[in-house]
Amino acid sequence: MSEKIKKIIFCSPEYITEKNYGGLSIYINKITKLLNSNGINTYILVSSDRNKTIKEKKNTIIKLKIHSTFTKYLSYFSKKLFIFYQSYYVNKKLNDLNIIHNFQLVHFSNFENMSFFNQKKIPSLCRLSSLDFLWENKNVNFILKIISNFIERKSLKNVDLVLSPSTFLKKKLKIKYGINSKLIPQIFDEKFNTKLKKKRNTIITFGAISRGKGSDAVISKIHQILNINNRLKYIWVGNVDKRDHKSNNSFLKKLRLNTTFKNRISVKNAMKQNRLLKI
């Protein structure tokens, strides 16, 4: 693309305007502010529970009604069907918006395979959040594994460029699907110095409590983790993704059911970084 990029649209299943959001939303918020400061207009097409457009100086948030009672039951019945439904309507809306705005680039996340129905009418890229196959349950039906891998591979093949935030994901993507990607490290805030009051034997996971963040893996391995050291504690700081777990308390119960070290586990609501350092 020789012409200077002036308009970029992000397609995402979540954003900071919605009730539940995680690291993907924070990343999009940071990158759009950076792009805006360089004179680039950004648009965010986000799955929501209503249709609404929010206009800012150089950023426009377009909420698309995806979440409803129907999709709640659809997701419960089959997450794969929900992914198809969401991708179809998001990409349909994307094409309608492109007729009006003539975007020069569309940015997808591979979370929930948003690019599955991408029609490639706009130059596109996809930034990896993770890779679904890394979190596959070994006991899951073989056919379901094949379907999941097909969906993920097609979604990633359906864009012009894949961005990987780590060499680990870059290598796994190449080995599993034969897809090359470009390494683009995470965006971090400016460093700040802090002194921890105590040295503790504590493992802390922070972020949305979801299958995509490895909640099922932690549930299945929690006893082995705590068995490493009799003083070791485990804390997950974050709010549940209600598509995966009912509540923080229900997730805590699942953890405690899988270990005899019940008193060394805790689950806390999401908190700001300065409070996190005081745990």
Side-chain angles (χ1 to χ4, degrees):
M1 189 186 298
S2 57
E3 62 179 319
K4 185 178 179 181
I5 294 177
K6 295 181 180 179
K7 288 183 181 180
I8 299 176
I9 184 166
F10 292 76
C11 294
S12 175
E14 62 170 61
Y15 191 56
I16 60 171
T17 53
E18 306 309 299
K19 293 177 183 177
N20 298 308
Y21 68 87
L24 171 60
S25 302
I26 295 168
Y27 160 78
I28 293 174
N29 181 246
K30 287 179 180 179
I31 196 74
T32 50
K33 285 181 179 178
L34 182 62
L35 291 168
N36 295 159
S37 68
N38 283 276
I40 298 172
N41 292 310
T42 55
Y43 298 75
I44 301 165
L45 178 57
V46 58
S47 299
S48 183
D49 59 359
R50 69 196 65 191
N51 292 315
K52 186 178 180 181
T53 299
I54 303 169
K55 292 186 177 181
E56 300 172 341
K57 286 185 179 180
K58 286 185 175 292
N59 185 47
T60 303
I61 301 159
I62 303 155
K63 292 169 167 257
L64 177 64
K65 187 175 181 180
I66 294 291
H67 302 303
S68 63
T69 302
F70 167 72
T71 55
K72 181 180 179 180
Y73 285 107
L74 181 66
S75 183
Y76 179 80
F77 175 73
S78 171
K79 189 66 181 283
K80 303 294 183 293
L81 288 177
F82 171 78
I83 284 171
F84 290 144
Y85 178 93
Q86 177 176 241
S87 179
Y88 175 80
Y89 283 103
V90 165
N91 283 282
K92 183 176 183 296
K93 182 68 173 179
L94 171 64
N95 291 332
D96 292 342
L97 290 168
N98 187 47
I99 294 170
I100 301 169
H101 299 287
N102 192 26
F103 299 116
Q104 291 153 300
L105 182 67
V106 54
H107 180 300
F108 291 100
S109 167
N110 73 313
F111 178 49
E112 296 192 353
N113 302 287
M114 297 287 278
S115 58
F116 186 85
F117 284 110
N118 177 29
Q119 295 181 26
K120 292 190 172 183
K121 293 182 178 180
I122 314 165
S124 57
L125 63 83
C126 177
R127 177 187 176 273
L128 298 180
S129 294
S130 183
L131 288 165
D132 291 345
F133 74 84
L134 295 173
W135 303 104
E136 283 177 349
N137 188 327
K138 292 180 180 179
N139 298 320
V140 77
N141 184 283
F142 178 70
I143 295 174
L144 289 178
K145 280 187 181 182
I146 292 175
I147 294 171
S148 294
N149 290 169
F150 166 75
I151 294 170
E152 184 164 58
R153 185 178 184 277
K154 184 180 185 304
S155 298
L156 293 171
K157 282 277 191 180
N158 223 11
V159 295
D160 300 311
L161 176 66
V162 177
L163 303 180
S164 175
S166 69
T167 54
F168 173 79
L169 287 177
K170 182 180 172 72
K171 289 177 182 177
K172 290 293 183 181
L173 178 66
K174 179 65 175 176
I175 293 168
K176 181 71 175 180
Y177 298 129
I179 298 174
N180 292 315
S181 61
K182 186 173 180 61
L183 180 64
I184 302 291
Q186 297 277 18
I187 296 175
F188 290 101
D189 290 327
E190 292 182 7
K191 292 181 180 179
F192 63 94
N193 294 318
T194 184
K195 291 183 179 180
L196 299 178
K197 294 180 179 180
K198 299 178 182 178
K199 289 185 178 180
R200 297 187 180 183
N201 294 316
T202 306
I203 296 173
I204 301 177
T205 301
F206 56 93
I209 303 170
S210 66
R211 289 191 173 95
K213 290 286 175 65
S215 61
D216 285 353
V218 173
I219 290 169
S220 65
K221 299 295 182 182
I222 188 63
H223 186 77
Q224 290 172 252
I225 293 168
L226 295 175
N227 201 36
I228 295 170
N229 185 312
N230 59 12
R231 292 184 178 180
L232 190 61
K233 293 182 179 180
Y234 180 82
I235 304 171
W236 191 314
V237 180
N239 298 328
V240 294
D241 183 329
K242 292 189 176 180
R243 290 166 292 187
D244 296 329
H245 305 284
K246 289 182 179 179
S247 66
N248 280 27
N249 192 49
S250 69
F251 176 64
L252 177 60
K253 287 179 180 178
K254 290 176 186 177
L255 289 172
R256 287 179 171 170
L257 280 172
N258 281 307
T259 181
T260 55
F261 309 121
K262 304 181 190 299
N263 295 330
R264 289 198 265 140
I265 306 169
S266 59
V267 176
K268 299 181 181 293
N269 292 332
M271 61 183 71
K272 291 185 178 179
Q273 196 173 51
N274 60 341
R275 284 188 59 206
L276 182 64
L277 293 169
K278 295 176 183 178
I279 291 178

